Amino acid sequence: MFDKLILIASILLLFVIALIPHLSTTTKMGFRPPAVPLLVYDPYLSIWSNGTYLANQSTRAWRGKIANLTSLIKIDGRTYRLMGKQTNNLSTLEQKSLTVFPLRSVYVFEGHGISVTMTFFAPRVPSNLKIFSWPITYIVWNIYSTDDHIHRVKIYYSTSSQLAVNTFDEKVDWERKIDGSVLDLKIGTVDQPILGLAGDKVGIDWGYIHTAVFANQADGVIGKSQVCQERFISNGTLPEGLLCNQPVMVKNGEPVEAIIFNLGKVGNQSITRYAIVALDEQYAVDYFGTWLRPYWMHWYSNIREILMDAAQRYNNVYDMAVKFDNQLMENCTKVGGERYAQICALAYRQSIAAIGMAEDSKGNPLLFTKENSSNGDISTVDVIYPTSPVFLLFNPDLLKGSLVPVLDYAESSLWHKDFTPHDLGTYPKAKGYFRKLGEIGLQMPVEETGNMIIMMDAIAHIEGNVEFASKYWLLLTKWVKYLLQNGFDPGNQLCTDDFAGPMPHNANLSVKSIEAIGAYAQLCQMRGDEQDAEKYMNIAKEWAIKWSKIDLSNDGTHYLLGFDSSQDSWSQKYNMVWDEILDLNLFPEDAVKRETRFYLTKLQKFGLPLDSRKLYTKTDWTIWTASLRPNTPYFHKLVDLVYKFLDETPSRVPLSDFYWTQHGKTAGMFARSVVGAAFITMLTDKTTWNKWVSMSDRINEDWAPLPNSYILFEPFE
């Protein structure tokens, strides 16, 4: 019997030893994002790796559709996979690490005497709006020998035509061209139905996908995916000439833009090569019947000018990106800790990649959010609201560019309501809310009205002037009067958490109204209107005191979900975060302490539920709720659970802002700009906030009026 136990113990020991290499690799990987941003620019160029290892599966668009990016490496005649799942059963080069920065996703591979660092970086640096507007991502390979031997190395990369279509039965054609020193490969649909397709989980079926490299560093063709890979695997070359017989359906052979870098002999000195992948949309948004060009056309007449500029300026742009990443990660760590910084790093590119950026007729930027994975709405006010901290921190002019379309629409003859519209249509068609069902129940009158006033005050607060708000003063005054009549005890209506359905007497919605009225009072103060400033601030303070008394539970432990809710009900009062950020100081000092103490009694495995009704939560609101008490153990407890969710969720999709706290699965919304909400904590540190705004690249703010074409539309009734 004893011998049998020894045998069993020995077998178990061998099993554990066999697991050690795997466990070691997993440990080296560190933080495991649910999905890794690769090519991210806007809702039509947003490609992710949904696995822990880059070579384990096909890359995908944010909407889940396969969008193949492939990279192979040939070392001393033998080929290995770096990125994408191939059908030829190649071995993978071992992935040693993955690090996600705000602008870069960095993979490190090693094996067979070679180290490869593969970096995807988008130069979305808000201190330089020209470069920020580039619709590109760099893919960079840094390669060197690790064993003091010389190795012969070639790199293969391809961008699939899948990125240029909505469905794979669409036909594409292509072009190969050398402009000066740059080789440019281009694919797009034959039909080019510009701005014709609107909806949620849809891809683009107009415009062109480009892959560009220096012509003297790489060979490149457009060919069938499998043929190009097989040729590289067999002899390290590409098929000669372009794929013939244009056009073809994408599903028939999957044309790809394929390139090869022949590095020759590689020693211990690193060799760098890069490709640039770009989306030329031609037009970005249908703005009330006027097609707006992408914002990058403020500086460039065509995409090839950008490709030339980006190729030649790589070193400077890369250094700029690294500096931005390092500064931001250092600041986020200082304000919120390492795990908070990692959340921000993952949120940054996603938040701006769910937004389209267009140029108005005066050359100023207009930004249009898309409700990815929720319903496809464009310029939804309660999406702009949680997104706003990322722009308030880095460049308030970009937030203004998001608000101008809503403000101009609300001032026009198309909108007759005393409250703020919910949205402007379905992306990419910004034609007004009236184009939809037109039911008042689909509006969020108190929600959106409060959101707009708060954001307008936040802009004035950090800029130290009220110039932008003053342009829309009559509108803001009409809105604050609506809140005075309807905001303290809201009627039966939706709030931004519309998945929970409408409810009357919503206490958190009441908080929003109170904060908004206080925000309006601040704007009056900045305008020199002392009488109205005092009037509205007094109302806000009186309401805050009244609220804190009537919504308090009988045992005094917490505030309720609604004024008439049961005593065991509760909800995250995330709207209260503006009280300190905007120096409003409306609510009694003990209100926040009472609420936050209570929240700690309701924590689940992966976070704090949104309210007492169900165990789902919102990533954005949890961080706002945590930021009620920044830089405290309470803050870190909530943020650590958000980090845990991201690190362990079985739902491998771009960062989800709506998930179940008991098991960490997404509840259905992901890849949305609202994750820019994570930067709210940075606004609690005034020194840090002012520093970043001072570095932003500002504009003249002379936005064009609503296009004359809007008169062709009928108003919403």
Side-chain angles (χ1 to χ4, degrees):
M1 180 67 180
F2 181 75
D3 291 339
K4 288 183 178 179
L5 290 174
I6 292 292
L7 178 60
I8 292 171
S10 300
I11 292 172
L12 289 173
L13 179 62
L14 290 172
F15 177 72
V16 171
I17 292 174
L19 284 178
I20 288 176
H22 171 72
L23 294 174
S24 176
T25 300
T26 302
T27 302
K28 287 181 181 179
M29 289 298 295
F31 173 64
R32 187 231 65 178
V36 180
L38 302 178
L39 309 184
V40 287
Y41 174 71
D42 73 0
Y44 293 125
L45 182 59
S46 184
I47 312 302
W48 300 69
S49 174
N50 293 3
T52 304
Y53 298 92
L54 188 59
N56 275 13
Q57 57 183 280
S58 300
T59 55
R60 294 179 180 270
W62 72 263
R63 60 192 176 119
K65 194 88 167 180
I66 290 176
N68 280 320
L69 308 177
T70 302
S71 186
L72 311 174
I73 184 169
K74 188 177 285 289
I75 305 172
D76 298 326
R78 186 172 179 180
T79 307
Y80 306 91
R81 289 187 289 126
L82 294 175
M83 174 171 59
K85 185 177 181 180
Q86 287 77 35
T87 58
N88 39 40
N89 296 318
L90 290 175
S91 299
T92 61
L93 203 64
E94 183 181 2
Q95 181 179 312
K96 289 291 187 178
S97 67
L98 160 64
T99 308
V100 176
F101 296 98
L103 296 180
R104 295 171 294 146
S105 298
V106 183
Y107 292 88
V108 177
F109 306 87
E110 286 185 7
H112 308 282
I114 288 293
S115 174
V116 181
T117 298
M118 198 170 174
T119 302
F120 302 80
F121 89 90
R124 309 301 298 277
V125 182
S127 59
N128 187 321
L129 289 180
K130 180 177 181 180
I131 293 176
F132 183 87
S133 75
W134 286 358
I136 71 164
T137 294
Y138 292 93
I139 304 177
V140 187
W141 296 261
N142 298 99
I143 301 129
Y144 65 91
S145 171
T146 59
D147 61 3
D148 295 325
H149 289 83
I150 299 296
H151 300 275
R152 292 188 174 275
V153 177
K154 291 183 178 181
I155 296 287
Y156 170 92
Y157 169 75
S158 66
T159 307
S160 174
S161 55
Q162 294 167 341
L163 277 68
V165 297
N166 179 47
T167 61
F168 296 162
D169 59 357
E170 293 177 82
K171 292 183 178 181
V172 294
D173 53 17
W174 48 85
E175 180 183 12
R176 180 185 189 273
K177 187 174 183 178
I178 295 179
D179 273 344
S181 59
V182 173
L183 168 63
D184 175 24
L185 305 175
K186 165 186 170 184
I187 293 180
T189 61
V190 174
D191 293 338
Q192 289 294 305
I194 296 175
L195 298 174
L197 184 64
D200 185 4
K201 295 182 179 180
V202 297
I204 196 168
D205 57 1
W206 68 89
Y208 299 91
I209 290 290
H210 294 253
T211 300
V213 293
F214 279 124
N216 63 354
Q217 292 184 347
D219 185 22
V221 300
I222 295 172
K224 293 183 177 181
S225 178
Q226 186 170 347
V227 172
C228 290
Q229 290 185 47
E230 289 177 350
R231 183 68 63 91
F232 177 77
I233 293 167
S234 63
N235 60 22
T237 64
L238 291 171
E240 295 181 4
L242 286 171
L243 176 64
C244 299
N245 301 321
Q246 300 188 52
V248 299
M249 288 185 183
V250 170
K251 65 183 180 182
N252 293 337
E254 189 192 342
V256 297
E257 300 164 347
I259 59 172
I260 289 178
F261 296 108
N262 184 359
L263 277 60
K265 297 178 180 179
V266 175
N268 57 13
Q269 188 167 353
S270 179
I271 297 175
T272 299
R273 294 291 184 267
Y274 55 90
I276 301 168
V277 180
L279 172 62
D280 179 11
E281 290 176 274
Q282 307 287 299
Y283 291 91
V285 171
D286 181 348
Y287 190 42
F288 292 96
T290 297
W291 290 3
L292 300 185
R293 293 283 191 179
Y295 183 57
W296 57 261
M297 295 194 78
H298 180 73
W299 292 279
Y300 301 91
S301 59
N302 59 66
I303 194 68
R304 286 195 168 110
E305 290 181 2
I306 290 185
L307 296 176
M308 288 283 291
D309 201 9
Q312 293 167 357
R313 297 175 62 184
Y314 163 77
N315 289 328
N316 289 337
V317 173
Y318 183 77
D319 290 345
M320 183 189 303
V322 171
K323 181 180 179 181
F324 177 87
D325 282 347
N326 290 342
Q327 286 183 337
L328 182 53
M329 292 299 283
E330 179 182 346
N331 286 180
C332 288
T333 301
K334 179 182 176 182
V335 172
E338 291 184 2
R339 292 186 172 184
Y340 169 72
Q342 185 62 75
I343 293 168
C344 288
L346 189 60
Y348 181 80
R349 267 176 291 168
Q350 176 173 314
S351 65
I352 56 179
I355 299 173
M357 196 171 182
E359 180 187 26
D360 74 8
S361 60
K362 289 189 176 182
N364 276 327
L366 294 175
L367 283 75
F368 299 88
T369 59
K370 178 178 179 180
E371 282 204 56
N372 286 348
S373 69
S374 47
N375 64 3
D377 280 354
I378 187 170
S379 294
T380 306
V381 175
D382 62 293
V383 168
I384 300 172
Y385 176 65
T387 304
S388 66
V390 74
F391 292 135
L392 284 169
L393 177 64
F394 297 111
N395 196 325
D397 283 349
L398 295 178
L399 178 56
K400 295 173 191 174
S402 301
L403 298 180
V404 164
V406 178
L407 291 162
D408 286 352
Y409 171 59
E411 276 194 330
S412 75
S413 60
L414 297 176
W415 185 255
H416 295 165
K417 303 299 180 182
D418 292 333
F419 52 80
T420 303
H422 173 269
D423 63 78
L424 296 184
T426 302
Y427 198 94
K429 298 177 184 293
K431 295 187 175 183
Y433 189 87
F434 61 89
R435 306 294 290 180
K436 300 176 68 178
L437 297 180
E439 296 177 5
I440 193 65
L442 298 178
Q443 297 286 340
M444 300 178 186
V446 171
E447 172 73 43
E448 311 300 28
T449 304
N451 290 344
M452 290 297 289
I453 296 174
I454 290 170
M455 288 188 286
M456 295 294 272
D457 184 44
I459 290 169
H461 186 80
I462 189 57
E463 291 188 333
N465 67 76
V466 75
E467 292 178 9
F468 182 66
S470 290
K471 296 177 182 179
Y472 299 95
W473 195 248
L474 292 178
L475 189 62
L476 294 176
T477 301
K478 179 174 71 173
W479 286 344
V480 79
K481 289 180 178 178
Y482 179 84
L483 292 182
L484 288 178
Q485 295 177 354
N486 302 279
F488 181 79
D489 187 7
N492 188 35
Q493 61 190 271
L494 295 171
C495 72
T496 185
D497 308 316
D498 54 0
F499 44 80
M503 69 168 284
H505 321 300
N506 186 321
N508 190 39
L509 206 52
S510 180
V511 170
K512 177 166 292 181
S513 297
I514 295 168
E515 298 286 353
I517 293 169
Y520 180 82
Q522 278 193 342
L523 293 171
C524 291
Q525 181 75 41
M526 296 180 73
R527 281 170 55 89
D529 188 346
E530 299 291 342
Q531 185 175 355
D532 274 352
E534 182 179 5
K535 168 188 171 182
Y536 285 101
M537 188 59 74
N538 285 339
I539 291 172
K541 289 180 177 179
E542 290 169 5
W543 280 19
I545 293 172
K546 179 181 177 183
W547 181 95
S548 65
K549 291 179 179 179
I550 68 171
D551 196 48
L552 188 62
S553 62
N554 289 340
D555 60 6
T557 59
H558 67 285
Y559 295 100
L560 306 178
L561 173 65
F563 296 139
D564 63 344
S565 297
S566 63
Q567 288 297 304
D568 60 351
S569 73
W570 60 275
S571 64
Q572 291 188 35
K573 305 302 190 294
Y574 52 81
N575 286 311
M576 215 178 274
V577 74
W578 297 106
D579 213 38
E580 180 179 344
I581 290 174
L582 298 180
D583 297 323
L584 294 169
N585 303 314
L586 298 172
F587 286 86
E589 186 176 347
D590 65 344
V592 168
K593 292 181 179 179
R594 177 183 288 110
E595 271 295 270
T596 53
R597 283 196 300 266
F598 180 78
Y599 294 151
L600 293 176
T601 70
K602 297 298 180 180
L603 299 180
Q604 299 291 313
K605 180 179 180 180
F606 290 101
L608 175 66
L610 185 63
D611 58 46
S612 53
R613 288 173 289 187
K614 292 186 178 180
L615 290 178
Y616 51 50
T617 196
K618 294 281 272 94
T619 311
D620 44 0
W621 302 145
T622 297
I623 295 177
W624 286 31
T625 298
S627 299
L628 292 172
R629 293 177 61 194
N631 198 26
T632 62
Y634 157 82
F635 170 85
H636 292 294
K637 184 69 174 177
L638 266 62
V639 167
D640 286 354
L641 289 175
V642 174
Y643 177 96
K644 179 180 176 66
F645 155 67
L646 295 174
D647 193 44
E648 299 180 17
T649 176
S651 302
R652 304 306 293 268
V653 295
L655 202 164
S656 174
D657 60 283
F658 184 37
Y659 68 93
W660 294 96
T661 56
Q662 74 273 39
H663 49 59
K665 294 180 181 179
T666 181
M669 293 191 294
F670 53 88
R672 305 200 314 156
S673 68
V674 300
V675 297
F679 291 94
I680 193 81
T681 316
M682 302 294 280
L683 307 187
T684 66
D685 186 309
K686 299 295 194 296
T687 301
T688 300
W689 188 4
N690 278 287
K691 183 191 83 169
W692 281 100
V693 170
S694 70
M695 295 188 294
S696 61
D697 190 3
R698 311 306 294 272
I699 63 174
N700 63 25
E701 299 190 30
D702 183 24
W703 276 277
L706 209 64
N708 288 333
S709 51
Y710 88 86
I711 63 175
L712 301 174
F713 299 98
E714 295 181 4
F716 168 75
E717 298 295 346

